Every structure is written in structure tokens, then in C-alpha cells.
Amino acid sequence: MKPLIATSLVSPQRAGPGLAMPSLSLVACALMVLVAAGTALVNSYYLLLMTFAAIYMVAAMGLNLLTGYAGIVSIAHGALVCVGTYATAIASVRYGWGFWPSAVLSASVGLGFSVVLGLPALRLSSWYFVLITIAFTLAVTAMLNDLRGFTGGYGGIVGIPKPSLAGVRFDGFGLFALVGGVAALLWWVMHNLIDSRIGWALQSIREGDVRARANGVSTARLRLFAFAFSGAVAGLAGAFYASAKGVVTPEDFSFDFSIFFLFVVVLGGPARLSGPMLGVAAFYVLPELLDSLKEYRMIAYGVGLLAFSVFLPEGLAGAIARFDDRRQARRATSPAATLPRDAGAATVEPVRGMALAIRGLAKDFGGVRALDGVSLDVQPGSIHAIVGPNGSGKTTLLNMISGFYPASAGSILLDGAEVVGRGPTSIARLGVQRTFQTPKLLGELSLLENVRFGAYARERSSGLEIAFRLPRARHEAAALDAEALRLLALVGLAGRAHEHAALLPHGQQRLVEIARALIGRPKLLLLDEPAAGLSMGELDELGDLMRTIRRMGTTLIMVEHHIELVASIANTVTVLDQGRILAEGTPEQVFSSAAVVHAYTGGAR
Ligand code: ADP
Ligand code: MG
């Protein structure tokens, strides 16, 4: 047996070919910060305007995580800001709390309400969540007047103090600088989160959670995190809002205040770090400056929405990023292009292959019996091919082993443990990885990031360590980046490591999926038609890749139509036909069987 651990260490360049040049969005945002700071010095009106712009930006960044990245649309964000505002107002004015304890209270209250609103959304469809958030917004608005003893009713609450720290009182420009600092800190935290397994998992939930669950992501926990984060940020923004205003009344929180944040995120550019800032500049600062526009704000939003949906469907930040992509596409490919396949060979540590035993497995889809009493044994560390005509149940079988479809009857044992009844997340965490017949990569992410995401269940750094780039998170990310790059080299795609996955043809996307699966160090790897869409040369390389995987010890089950490939590498072949096992044995035995030849030539291929 060859040595399994490759010694070649490559330090991957995280920055894609583009990042040598600053991105246009960043330049635009830096300019805006300068302009904001400059105008804030001119007079007190501009100062207040810019302070509120910074506060709205903080709030919008929270919503961007929930709606932009995780794809969960909420109308209640403004209402959560409102709740945070009143928490600080009440705590500081009625109970004499200082600003900072009040702000912590506001963030906690925002977090609490957001999580409670989000709980039903873990089970119900997203439409219910939208309705729940509308109802919440209306309830909060009504409550402000009804709970007069608490909220001061129409009169509101007067005399909310400014923050102070170590004897310094943040007022005027100081308050603007403080909020700006908070916004900058939050931007950095968002950047760290988005560029990590947490951000990738959030985005994969947005794209339908199949990919996330196959990677071992607990989607409910992650959604709760998104609710908690966005709620806490909204509450915190509320605390600053209260302090900046000094007086709060229900009039501050009309219904359009809630929708405002959704507009800012959607039109500014969802799932873009610079989106909230661009959105606030275009949809708050600009209309305020052009005074005449202010009265027509709702109309302007409506027209903006229509125009954007036609011309800039990805919002301001998205449009700028597209332009940037084109500008930078002309630049050279990344240095990883020189990384040879061998550098990646056997980069995964050897694993103990998993044994699979299936007994009497059946699956009905309504009236269709897709699998009918399938029994199958797969030896640890072997390559086991599943072949059969289209519609014979091959993909269904993989979906049941990986937990995506519940069984109608029968049993599936992985290393002797029953897994029927377990979901995909839990089965993935046992060491089962898979690829999909239709690849499910995150198209906006680079190949490297997609592969890195496969290590989700292996990563030890906590969300806090990731958010603040603490040492463990940094080291782990660097090590996994290097490993991901070697695995991309193994599948022959290291040279394109920093390209968007969506740019690859399907055949190669499936190769990326194999690399993504391998970084999870699978004991059992399920491949659904890996050879489809590959050229002859790539087919040979795929065969080599599978032999390498077998040498690592991983048990490999592959559904494949390509008979020559199967014949050259499989230890055992099972033939499915109409949901039943038609034949089983070595490739020579199976492919010489008359029944098999008949199923293939007479069947619906
Ligand atoms: P193969 O991968 O061998 O081509 P499949 O496992 O995809 O076949 O499908 C087997 C049978 O099960 C087909 O008749 C297909 O229509 C049916 N089937 C597969 N998945 C579903 C589903 N999610 N809902 C309903 N029917 C399905
Ligand atoms: Mg199939």
C-alpha cells in the first residue's frame, strides 16, 4: 500500500484573483464614510442625519443576515428596533439605568422576541412567518398606545440620556462616531461570519436546505442563530435610536418604519456586506436631502421596487459586484493553477470504511413502488456499483441510505446500527457523505469555499470564535483552506479554486462535490452518476480518483451508467430493475448475464 499522507503543503490564496484590486463596493462605502463624517461636521442637521443613517445601517445589517443571507423574509425588523428603543427608554428614564445596561437589555429583548417569533418558522412555511411578523408589527404599534402606563402613550418618553463611558459623554459628533464605530465593528463581525461555515450554511438554507443537511448542518439551530443575531442587532440599534432622539413617541414607529428595513436590504443588495450601507444612502439619506422627495417616500419605494426588479434584481451592491466581476475576469488565474493532482492525492487521512447492510427495503411514492424489497450487503472499503435503467430506483436508494427519504419498510444498518428513522443531518454525522445527480453547490461561492463547507461537521471553532477571528478559528480556517485546495487538486480543479461554482459545467460541479464530500472524511461515500457530462480524459481521471478513495479506506457506492468505468473499478455490481434486484456479482458475472442485457436493451434507457 502506498503512503497515504501527502506531504506537499500549499498555502492557498484566499483572496481570489479579484481581491488584489479593492472591490468597487468597498471603495464606494469608504467614500460614503468620508462624506458622512465630513457633512456631519458641517451643521447639526447633517450630523443628526448621519447619526440616524449609521443607526439604520446597524439595524439593516442584522436584517441582512436573516433575510439576505438566510433568505427568511421578516416584516418585523422595525418593530424589533421599536421594542429595543422602548426598552432603553423605559429602563433609563423610569428606572434610572445607565445607557450601557439599558442597551444590553434592549439587545436581549430584541433577541428574545425575535427567537420567539422565529420558533414557529422552524416548522411552518416561510409564508406563515411573514404573516406572523406582520401581526407582531401591528401588535407592537397598538401596544405603544394601549400600555400607556408603561410607554407613556402618545406623549412618549422624554429625557433619554446619552451614552457615556469613563466620564466621556457621547453627544453630537461623539455619538455619531460611537454609532459609526459600532457599525464598523458589526461589519467586521458580519464579514467574519459570512466567510465561514456559518455563513455558508445560512446561504445553503436559503437555497433549500438539502445541501446543508447533507453536510451535517442542524438547520433548526442555524435558523435560530439567524433570528437571535438579527433580533439582538435590531434591539441594539433601538437603544442608540432612543438615545439619539432623546424623546420617543409612537409616531416614530409607523408601519412603514418596519418595511423600511426590508427595502433597504432588498434594494441595497441582499447577501452583500455593503448592501445595507448602499441601501441606507439611497433610500434614507438621499430622500432626506432632497426634501421634496420625503413626502413621496412610499411612492418612491414602490417605483424603486419596480425599477429595481427589472433593472437591478440583485440590488445596488449586487449590480456593482457584477460590474466588478466583469472588470476582474480579465485578470490572470490564481497561483493555485500550478498545483498538480499528486499534491492532492490521498490528502485525506485514512479512514475505516463503513459496512452497509440493507434488508427488505421498500419505498412507495403514492402509488409508485420505487423500491421493492431490496437487500444488499456492501463490504467495508470496497467499490460497489449500482446500475440499472432510468427510473429503476437507484437515486431513491441513495436518498434512503443518506436519510433524505424515510423508508416504507425494511432496515438499513450502517456498521451494524439501524439508521431507518434518522434524518440526513444525523446520518451525515455518522460519516456518510454524498453527491447529487444534479449538483447542489452554492453557485455564488468559490469552488474552494464550497469544498470548505464540506468540513462543516468537523470544524470545532464556535460561532463566537469565528465572529471575532480568535486564534483557533483563524488556524482552523487556514488548515482547512489548505486541505480544500489539495482536494481540488485531486479532482483536477485547483486552478479554478477561486471561481464561482455556478460558472462550471455540471460534470465538473460533480467533481467539486466529490472534493466537498472528501473533506468531510467519509467512511461511506455515495456518488450519483459521477461520470455524467465528463470527457473521455476526465473519465480516466475519475477512475483514478475512485481508486485513490478506495485506498484511503472509504467504502464507495456509486450509481453509474458508464459500463466501462464500472467494469474497470467496481468490486461488486448490483443491478436494479423496477425497484428490485435483478442481478448481483462481480462486473464480469453481471455484465455477461442474459437477464441484465435484456433489462438494458429492452428496458427504458
Ligand atoms: P433512477 O435514479 O434509477 O433513474 P429514481 O430513484 O430517481 O430512479 O426513481 C425511481 C422511481 O421513483 C421513478 O418512477 C420515479 O418517478 C419515482 N420517484 C423518485 N423520486 C420521487 C419523488 N420524490 N416523488 C415521487 N416519485 C419519485
Ligand atoms: Mg437517478
Side-chain angles (χ1 to χ4, degrees), residues 339-342 344-346 383 487-494 507-508 510-512 514-515 518 527 530-552 556 558 560 562 564-565 568-569:
L339 192 62
R341 253 170 208 278
D342 302 352
I383 297 182
L487 286 168
L488 277 172
L490 183 66
V491 301
L493 287 169
Q508 299 192 330
R510 238 177 265 111
L511 294 177
V512 178
I514 295 178
L518 286 177
L527 304 179
L534 296 186
S535 68
M536 291 308 280
E538 287 172 327
L539 266 180
D540 288 342
E541 283 161 359
L542 181 65
D544 290 342
L545 174 61
M546 290 178 165
R547 290 187 194 96
T548 306
I549 294 171
R550 176 166 50 193
R551 255 191 286 123
M552 291 168 188
L556 190 65
M558 65 162 177
E560 190 46 71
H562 208 283
E564 281 151 48
L565 178 69
S568 71
I569 58 170

Side-chain angles (χ1 to χ4, degrees), residues 205 404 520 541 592:
I205 286 179
F404 281 94
E541 283 161 359
S592 59

Side-chain angles (χ1 to χ4, degrees), residues 390-391 393-396 437 528-529 559 561:
N390 277 336
K394 307 180 297 293
T395 297
T396 300
Q437 193 170 349
D528 202 346
E529 305 203 9
V559 166
H561 278 306

